[in-house]
Amino acid sequence: MSEEFGPELAVAGYRAGVFPMPQHGFRGRRLMGWYSPLDRGILPLDGLRVSRSLRKMIKRYAITVDTAFDEVIRRCGDPSRPGGWIDERILQVYTGLHQAGIVHSVEARTADGRLAGGLYGVSIGGLFAGESMFHDPVIGRDASKAALVALVDLLRGDGQDRLLDVQWQTPHLASLGVIEIPREDYLRRLAVAVTLPAPDFRAPAG
């Protein structure tokens, strides 16, 4: 844990294989926890599972990139969401990293342009560390999945063997193809991934 937290430290953490999550109520101190799970969740770019019904649903959404980052991260950090962890420190640091071109958002929109869901994450070379995703339960039941499908298409579009880190495997993510690998394997893959070129986030998404 650390009391210090800023953009440079966050980027150094991802390069070292750790990611930050705020710690609250530790003797009244505002600390940042740094995590490196023994079993790390990743989504192999050739392992994404898209069911027939999901493929039909995602055609309802238009995908954009980096057009609504502020709204995406705030919707992801909605305090009413179960297990919410995004606080003002995260908002400030990741907004700065977005402005620096290191953090990106992928948005799924309805036909009339409303934001139905999205995700954001950290891009360093060929590493994309997914941080959080959300969907609007009224207008975007599968919108976060649509954003994930578009992200995978973007990461693998030029044939590079990039690394999509999702931190932990959950039953929901496992249904989409997320697997767990040992920490040592993750760190080996990370060392290669950060040397690869980053995807072109200016390119139109699928």
Side-chain angles (χ1 to χ4, degrees):
M1 291 189 286
S2 67
E3 291 184 328
E4 178 188 356
F5 181 60
E8 293 183 359
L9 184 58
V11 171
Y14 286 101
R15 286 186 172 274
V18 300
F19 56 86
M21 292 190 74
Q23 304 298 301
H24 301 285
F26 188 79
R27 298 180 180 176
R29 299 165 68 190
R30 286 163 48 89
L31 299 177
M32 189 63 64
W34 298 89
Y35 291 82
S36 179
L38 291 173
D39 297 304
R40 190 72 164 241
I42 69 166
L43 177 54
L45 298 184
D46 60 355
L48 177 65
R49 298 175 188 162
V50 183
S51 66
R52 183 177 301 175
S53 60
L54 175 58
R55 193 166 296 280
K56 290 180 180 179
M57 288 291 292
I58 62 179
K59 292 180 180 179
R60 301 180 181 182
Y61 302 106
I63 300 298
T64 57
V65 177
D66 288 337
T67 65
F69 174 80
D70 290 345
E71 186 175 357
V72 168
I73 192 171
R74 289 196 176 275
R75 295 285 291 273
C76 287
D78 183 346
S80 67
R81 296 180 69 186
W85 55 273
I86 297 174
D87 65 7
E88 286 301 320
R89 291 175 295 170
I90 294 290
L91 289 172
Q92 180 179 357
V93 167
Y94 284 72
T95 297
L97 289 173
H98 170 67
Q99 294 168 351
I102 297 172
V103 169
H104 298 275
S105 62
V106 180
E107 304 97 21
R109 298 180 178 276
T110 61
D112 58 359
R114 290 178 294 169
L115 183 63
L119 59 84
Y120 77 95
V122 180
S123 177
I124 302 173
L127 166 71
F128 190 91
E131 284 296 301
S132 187
M133 58 173 54
F134 86 96
H135 71 275
D136 186 305
V138 177
I139 63 172
R141 188 182 67 181
D142 293 304
S144 60
K145 296 177 184 178
L148 179 62
V149 171
L151 173 65
V152 170
D153 287 344
L154 183 63
L155 294 179
R156 65 184 301 192
D158 56 1
Q160 296 288 340
D161 188 21
R162 296 188 175 96
L163 178 62
L164 178 47
D165 170 25
V166 300
Q167 302 175 351
W168 286 292
Q169 183 193 62
T170 65
H172 170 66
L173 291 175
S175 71
L176 295 171
V178 168
I179 63 172
E180 289 183 332
I181 61 174
R183 176 195 287 164
E184 294 78 7
D185 189 8
Y186 174 79
L187 293 176
R188 284 193 293 268
R189 298 188 190 204
L190 174 65
V192 174
V194 295
T195 68
L196 300 176
D200 184 1
F201 287 96
R202 298 170 300 174

